[in-house]
């Protein structure tokens, strides 16, 4: 029997019923009386000075209530990383990519707003534009932000150990170049915002956001208001994957127009705006040099990574830091030199996306490991096992790894894919491959580092939980409720949760860096403990025992040594009240992760994350040599997620993540021509449909991390790091062709096969 | 120009005054408050807006509301009968087939129409049937499982 | 994205629809399933003054088998077409093509007539007003220039339908009703190969039905796209052959996605006549194909890739028909 009653159970998501019946309300499902509808005018030029914006004709359209351009807004820059703020809510002096926001209108109908946008006249002075980061880094390239004359807006250079010496000591040196493509998150819910202003001038914004508290800060900045005048409420969010981290013009415009007109205002992006004008995964050029001993020991790695950031920074310094530090796991790499550059171009903006900066470099490393294995004659699995990092080892970058199931994930994934029987032994066109990875369980980010929670035990025996955590569909509210229920010994249905409202719930960093379960889970568990202690104190007094002798389980409080002696939860609450203690029973929790803020790691060493998850993906593919089509037949994902609080949700995370990773390996690519996205739609941008999915086996490797709540760590984000190299390695096994550029589309496979024939 | 529209939605006859150029999706969401039907792409490529018209899956974003006046329209709000969830709804909840939930209404309605045509489908047939309903969260695995399990349930008369 | 305003007409009969259409053929559009028209209207590339909703007309959805031919009503849904046991059994190429259109809902909404009249596609045309604002309007969207070849007053938009190649390969004819009455002509003549106005229908004419002759031959429809659903064909091929004494007596080879209409590769067809399908014939003909089609850069896929895939599809198609008598 499990030691837990609620934790570890396959509980359906708390809001699944609402979502299955159409009752769940997402931002665009909300309406307020007198609401106006907004629309944004965007730049048709990749780089230009704005000379004049004439709103006169737009304002004449019947139903139009207001119109603004960049000239009308507070000149306050925002950005998700405080030291990398480089963006105005609407472009003020110039536009920097096709899609940059130039002006906005609100009207009594969406039709009128669309009509008004078409009547705005903008005079531009076109400037030379640059679309490739390598070009943008050259002297004399067009300057995209005046304050960054070389277009390199974030840099990292870290050396650990003695790289030059280690290369000298190496028996083999490998050098390869890799390229990855821009990828869109494609949350099914397009970004939306609804704002209203009350009599006191306080702005309330309902927004499809992953991080309400960051949004409050950024929105207050752009509106030039104190944070206390801004309230963010997160309704249901239809997926984010990192794309709903940033503030967008729709948030600012909804709030700003609500302030100007005194009426509620709604902005909703269309799918093309989601594709073009939000965020995407950074495309990267990656140069990788690795030195190994004959026996496969990795001695040194050197990276030169150039990330195409597009027109603005978004998470630039954080992204490039993540790329660097998560090369240092899951393998033991004593000597590392990492140079990374985030470069501006006149293109859509890069931002956080599931894996955030890491999948690109992981693709390079894992592909090269297979090249190394072949050259020195070691099985790729053995090579990985040999270099696998273990828990408790000293880490060259001072990462504190307290639990690590990496080797086990390698072994289990290999076994499940049939590695020994299949690798190198399948007929031409069939192959298997694998790849490993590691991911943080929470990144300590900037000013919003800690998570808070409040737990109230109510008179009727129910429990109220307040958490700032933002559930965007991953099930955070369910998991946190399970943690609280377990701690209090009640049922999950006893918990009523209110989350992600900056006015009501305690501070929380939000959903990013895979820290929700660990951070907000720990905070909620601490709050539950605090409330429990108060209750136990009263019962101990009544029973004339010490609180330490009592246990709370199955809605009872009883003596551990003599479980028959005790009270039901309801009786206990009565006893608490009759002992003249104040109601309600409130517990507070605040969790501060023992890790450094990542961008400080640009300059100093230190621990990155409170805990690290580890994973291996293995793939079996079939390549049709006639057409070049690659079909993934099976994906195995073995994931060390610590303790799975809810195995069903963990599986769901892993499965979705793997399919996304497969999409990025084989189908997905934002194609651009002179800064214009050619495929901003689901017809031409290949997010996998149900027809593409392989059979998926998820293996949870449980390790029980001492820092995680009930031992839990990250799940589902790290899983997206390695499907692509696993698939690419399997393709090599199938047809003997090595791909170093993503995605591996049928045309490329066909061409490579033709070349091979010749 | 506005006109009186007579629609039968979820078994109810309704008369509403709307602009003649509105899509069924816009009328459902904006005039009838039936926001369970989602706008994912507005161009008929994601399936989130799928409703049933005379029991068959229909992309409401590519349907003029006036064009379905004499039809029976079912949205996700109309699927549960007398407070009892449809077996597909139960299956989606229990199997973990719902994450963010944005594709769920269209997915469930597509599955409902499909199972009525093909009560005992193979896994491949299920995948093909829902291949126009995009989902970014689940990787479809648990959705396919849920539909298959509901098909079993229906055949057992549960 | 909102639809522009228009006048909405529900005719009671096809005759009435023809009358309505004739009154203002350039400003009036026919609505059947709507899966193509409404997208183009949202994109603002089609702005009808009037829309005639054909589905209000009864008795236009049918599949009737006669001795010489089957007749398919213009409003027969793609789903009804490919689930029809008759079509599956005797005209599998057709059921296959219909099954490959879009996804489930598109097949339920979409009609045979709508699919045949599906608008030509181009990467510069099937885009939003914002997307198109980067350049002057193209000729097809009411401007002067074709951005594909950078020449004025031309349009090279591409036909990407699935049904037409299959039906042309089967030798189908269409019956149309116009102000002057009915006429019947081969389906392939429906396509003008003028990207700006891809259909050759005369003023006021509406397709009433498709007539597919009973046949003794075999056919395949092969659609090439990267995912298994939703997408239009990058290239597709309908192949139909009849054999006598194991020699090919009739061959039709029709491609979609490579030209301004469904492209019949008559050179290849001629080369097939009198031949026995063996590996060397299949090989040489497949190598011929890339030179016989001339797609333009109208999608995200390169013309060279389309040509290459056209050859690969023919090889695959002929391979499949090799053993069938």
């Amino acid at each position: 029997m499990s030691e837990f009653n609620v934790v570890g159970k396959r509980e359906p998501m708390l809001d699944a019923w609402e979502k299955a019946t159409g009752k769940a309300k997402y931002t665009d499902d909300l309406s307020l009386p007198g609401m106006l509808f907004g629309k944004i005018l965007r730049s048709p030029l990749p780089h230009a000075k704005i000379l004049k914006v004439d709103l006169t004709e737009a304002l004449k359209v019947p139903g139009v209530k207001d119109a603004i351009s960049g000239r009308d807004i507070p000149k306050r820059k925002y950005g998700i990383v405080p030291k990398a703020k480089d963006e105005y809510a609407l472009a003020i002096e110039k536009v920097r990519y096709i899609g940059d926001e130039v002006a906005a209108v609100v009207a009594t109908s969406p039709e009128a707003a669309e009509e008004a946008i078409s009547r705005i006249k903008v005079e531009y002075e076109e400037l030379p534009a640059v679309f490739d980061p390598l070009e943008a880094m050259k002297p004399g390239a067009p300057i995209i932000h005046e304050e960054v004359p070389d277009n390199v807006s974030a840099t990292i250079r870290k050396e650990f150990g003695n790289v030059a010496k280690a290369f000298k000591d190496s028996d083999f040196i490998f050098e390869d170049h890799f390229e990855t493509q821009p990828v869109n998150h494609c949350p099914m819910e397009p970004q939306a915002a609804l704002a209203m202003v009350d009599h006191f001038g306080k702005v309330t914004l309902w927004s499809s956001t992953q991080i309400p508290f960051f949004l409050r800060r950024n929105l207050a900045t752009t509106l030039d208001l104190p944070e206390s005048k801004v309230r963010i409420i997160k309704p249901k969010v239809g997926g984010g994957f990192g794309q709903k981290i940033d503030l967008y013009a729709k948030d600012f415009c909804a709030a700003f127009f609500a302030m100007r007109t005194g009426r509620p205002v709604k902005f909703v992006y269309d799918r093309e705006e989601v594709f073009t004008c939000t965020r995407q995964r950074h495309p990267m050029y990656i140069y990788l040099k690795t030195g190994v001993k004959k026996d496969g020991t990795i001695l040194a790695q050197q990276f030169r990574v150039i990330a195409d950031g597009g027109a603005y920074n978004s998470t630039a310094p954080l992204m490039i830091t993540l790329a660097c530090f998560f090369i240092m796991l899951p393998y033991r790499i004593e000597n590392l030199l990492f140079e990374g550059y985030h470069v501006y171009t006149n293109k859509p903006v890069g931002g956080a996306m599931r894996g955030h900066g890491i999948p690109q470099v992981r693709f390079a490393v894992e592909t090269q490991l297979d090249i190394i294995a072949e050259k020195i004659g070691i099985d790729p699995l053995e090579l990985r096992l040999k270099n696998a990092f273990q828990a408790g080892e000293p880490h060259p970058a001072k990462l504190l790894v307290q639990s690590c199931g990496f080797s086990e994930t390698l072994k289990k994934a290999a076994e499940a894919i049939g590695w020994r029987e299949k690798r190198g032994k399948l007929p031409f066109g069939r192959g298997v491959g694998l790849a490993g990875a590691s991911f943080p369980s929470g990144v300590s980010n900037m000013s919003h580092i800690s998570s808070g929670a409040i737990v109230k035990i109510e008179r009727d025996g129910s429990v109220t939980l307040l958490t700032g955590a933002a559930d965007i569909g991953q099930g955070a509210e369910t998991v946190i409720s399970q943690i609280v229920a377990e701690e209090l010994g009640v049922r999950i249905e006893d918990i009523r949760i209110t989350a992600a409202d900056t006015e009501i719930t305690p501070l929380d960093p939000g959903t990013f860096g895979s820290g929700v379960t660990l951070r907000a889970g720990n905070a909620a568990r601490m709050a539950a403990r605090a409330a429990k202690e108060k209750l136990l104190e009263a019962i101990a007094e009544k029973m004339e025992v010490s609180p330490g002798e009592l246990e709370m389980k199955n809605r009872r409080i009883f003596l551990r040594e003599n479980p028959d002696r005790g009270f039901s939860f309801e009786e206990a609450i009565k006893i608490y009240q009759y002992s003249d203690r104040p109601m309600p029973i409130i517990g507070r929790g605040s969790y501060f992760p023992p890790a450094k803020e990542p961008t400080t790691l640009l300059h100093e060493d230190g621990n990155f994350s409170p805990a690290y998850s580890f994973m291996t993906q293995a793939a079996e593919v079939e390549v049709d040599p006639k057409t070049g089509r690659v079909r993934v037949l099976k994906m195995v994902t073995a994931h060390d997620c610590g303790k799975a609080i809810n195995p069903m949700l963990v599986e769901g995370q892993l499965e979705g993540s793997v399919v996304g990773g497969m999409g990025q390996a084989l189908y997905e690519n934002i194609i651009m021509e002179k800064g214009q996205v050619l495929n901003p739609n689901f017809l031409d941008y290949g997010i996998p449909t149900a027809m593409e999915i392989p059979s998926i086996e998820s293996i949870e490797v449980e390790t029980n991390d001492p820092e995680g709540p009930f031992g839990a760590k990250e799940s589902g984000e790290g899983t997206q790091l390695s499907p692509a190299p696993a698939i690419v390695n399997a393709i090599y096994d199938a047809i003997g062709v090595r791909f170093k550029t993503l995605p591996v589309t049928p045309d490329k496979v066909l061409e490579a096969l033709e070349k091979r024939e010749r | 120009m506005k006109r009186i529209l007579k629609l039968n939605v979820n078994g109810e006859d309704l008369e509403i005054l709307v602009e003649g150029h509105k899509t069924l999706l816009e009328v459902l969401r904006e005039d009838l408050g039936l926001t369970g039907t989602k706008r994912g792409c507005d161009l008929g490529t994601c399936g989130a807006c799928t409703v049933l018209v005379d029991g068959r899956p229909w992309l409401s974003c590519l349907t003029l509301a006036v064009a379905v006046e004499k039809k029976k329209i079912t949205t996700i709000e109309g699927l549960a009968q007398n407070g009892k969830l449809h077996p597909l709804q139960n299956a989606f909840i229990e199997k973990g087939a719902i994450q963010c939930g944005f594709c769920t209404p269209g997915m469930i309605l597509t599955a409902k129409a499909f199972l009525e045509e093909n009560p005992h489908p193979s896994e491949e047939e299920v995948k093909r049937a829902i291949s126009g309903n995009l989902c970014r969260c689940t990787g479809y695995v648990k959705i396919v499982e849920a539909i298959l399990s509901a098909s079993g349930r229906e055949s057992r008369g549960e | 994205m909102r639809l522009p305003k228009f006048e909405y007409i529900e005719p009671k009969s096809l005759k009435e629809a023809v009358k309505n259409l004739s009154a203002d053929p350039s400003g009036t559009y026919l609505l059947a399933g709507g899966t193509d028209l409404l997208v183009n209207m949202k994109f603002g590339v089609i702005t009808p003054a009037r829309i005639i909703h054909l589905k209000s007309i009864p008795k236009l959805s049918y599949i009737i088998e006669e001795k010489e031919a089957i007749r398919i009503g213009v409003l027969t849904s793609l789903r009804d077409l490919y689930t029809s046991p008759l079509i599956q059994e005797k005209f599998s190429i057709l059921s296959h093509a219909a099954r490959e259109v879009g996804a489930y809902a598109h097949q339920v909404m979409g009609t045979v007539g709508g699919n045949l009249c599906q608008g030509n596609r181009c990467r510069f045309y099937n885009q939003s007003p914002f997307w198109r604002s980067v350049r002057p309007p193209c000729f097809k969207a009411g401007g002067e220039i074709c951005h594909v070849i950078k020449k004025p007053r031309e349009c090279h938009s591409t036909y990407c339908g699935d049904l037409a190649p299959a039906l042309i390969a089967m030798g189908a004819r269409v019956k149309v009703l116009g102000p002057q009455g009915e006429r019947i002509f081969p389906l392939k003549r429906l396509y003008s190969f003028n990207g700006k106005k891809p259909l050759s229908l005369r003023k006021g004419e509406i397709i009433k039905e498709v007539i597919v002759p009973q046949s003794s031959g075999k056919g395949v429809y092969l659609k090439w796209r990267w995912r298994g659903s939703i997408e239009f064909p990058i290239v597709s091929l309908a192949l139909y052959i009849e054999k006598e004494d194991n020699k090919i007596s009739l061959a039709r080879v029709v491609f979609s996605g490579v030209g301004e209409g469904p492209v019949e590769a008559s050179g290849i067809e001629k080369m097939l006549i009198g031949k026995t399908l063996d590996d060397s014939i299949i090989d040489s003909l497949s190598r011929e194909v890339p030179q016989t089609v001339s797609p333009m850069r109208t999608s995200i896929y390169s013309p060279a890739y389309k040509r290459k895939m056209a050859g690969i599809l023919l090889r695959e198609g002929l391979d499949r028909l090799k053993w069938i008598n």
Side-chain angles (χ1 to χ4, degrees), chain C residues 78 81 94 97-98 101 111-112 115-116 161-168 221:
Chain C
L78 299 170
L81 182 66
L94 200 52
V101 177
T111 62
V112 167
N115 194 269
L116 293 177
D162 288 297
L163 230 45
L167 282 166
I168 291 171
Y221 181 71

Side-chain angles (χ1 to χ4, degrees), chain B residues 8-11 52-55 68-74:
Chain B
N8 181 290
V9 183
N10 299 330
L52 300 181
V53 173
D54 289 344
V68 288
E69 270 196 318
K70 292 160 194 99
K71 314 274 183 191
K72 287 177 103 71
I73 298 156
T74 309

Side-chain angles (χ1 to χ4, degrees), chain A residues 2 55 59 62 97 121 216 243 297 303 344 479 488 495 502 521 533 561 588 590 632 673 705:
Chain A
S2 158
L55 304 168
L59 286 162
Y97 77 102
K121 293 192 193 79
R216 178 176 68 174
Q243 204 181 48
T297 308
F303 289 83
Y344 286 136
V479 166
L488 294 179
I495 314 282
T502 61
E533 276 163 21
E561 299 302 323
R588 298 191 191 84
S590 265
V632 181
E673 204 173 79
D705 190 88

Side-chain angles (χ1 to χ4, degrees), chain A residues 601-619:
Chain A
L601 298 175
L602 287 168
H603 313 293
E604 54 191 82
D605 292 350
N607 189 29
F608 202 106
S609 174
Y612 302 84
S613 65
F614 295 87
M615 60 291 293
T616 299
Q617 325 294 338

Side-chain angles (χ1 to χ4, degrees), chain A residues 79-86 153 217 313-314 317-318 446 597-603:
Chain A
I80 200 74
V81 180
K83 64 178 125 184
K85 291 182 181 183
D86 63 351
S153 67
R217 189 178 75 193
N313 264 335
S314 181
L318 177 61
M446 289 44 97
E597 199 281 300
T599 54
T600 63
L601 298 175
L602 287 168
H603 313 293

